[in-house]
Amino acid sequence: MRNEPIATQELNLIFHYAMEETARTGHREILPKHLLLGILRHRTNPVCEMIQAFVMEVAALKHKLDETLFAAVGAPTDSTTTPSIPDLNEIVFSSNSKRILVDANQTALRYGHEYLTEIHLMLSLLDHENDLVLDPNQEDNLFKIKSLRVSLLENLRQLPANPEDQRNKLMAPYDEEFPE
């Protein structure tokens, strides 16, 4: 067993998407919301399926995250003008995102996984950012978030421990854009 899990190809692609989403929204740090945008942009992963099933339409969640992130840099969300886009080489993980990644690694190790997936990442995101997906103060939303967490945990328990077994899973097609 490794001391530190390795990221799957899918997760590395999600990190790349998160970096691009960070630049697109005019930020210089990858925030937890950017990590979630990276998951959503990947589209063909179990986390997106669970969000769609238990929480809301993926496109609606992407729109909600965009509104929040663009507002944080003072950019209008309904215009074609974009905020100042930083160079990708200047983008770093925020301290909150680093903490989330450390916890995702610890979750993978706790479950005996030698690799890190979007499921580990999403569980850690929910642990640290309880309002990331929906406002938890509304009872119906709290139920949706708990349902998502239960589904993530069920899927996590079914993952094989060995990364070779996980690599046999087909890689999602590379696609630059979100569906309209």
Side-chain angles (χ1 to χ4, degrees), residues 41-109:
R41 185 166 162 192
H42 186 270
R43 283 202 305 256
T44 54
N45 62 63
V47 173
C48 284
E49 293 171 14
M50 288 178 253
I51 288 171
Q52 186 85 19
F54 297 108
V55 181
M56 68 172 59
E57 297 283 329
V58 170
L61 180 54
K62 185 233 180 263
H63 179 73
K64 178 181 173 187
L65 291 168
D66 275 352
E67 283 182 341
T68 304
L69 289 165
F70 279 119
V73 292
T77 58
D78 58 349
S79 104
T80 56
T81 61
T82 57
S84 171
I85 297 176
D87 184 299
L88 288 180
N89 294 325
E90 297 173 5
I91 294 175
V92 297
F93 284 94
S94 70
S95 59
N96 283 347
S97 290
K98 287 178 186 175
R99 208 170 11 258
I100 286 166
L101 294 176
V102 166
D103 284 353
N105 278 334
Q106 291 173 349
T107 299
L109 292 173

Side-chain angles (χ1 to χ4, degrees), residues 1 106-115 120 159-163:
M1 176 95 177
Q106 291 173 349
T107 299
L109 292 173
R110 197 168 42 248
Y111 279 85
H113 298 144
E114 296 180 3
Y115 56 93
H120 299 103
L159 292 176
N162 187 315

Side-chain angles (χ1 to χ4, degrees), residues 15-32:
F15 290 150
H16 177 77
Y17 287 158
M19 184 180 292
E20 288 181 348
E21 292 299 315
T22 302
R24 182 182 67 83
T25 58
H27 291 82
R28 299 199 179 284
E29 290 185 323
I30 299 173
L31 303 173

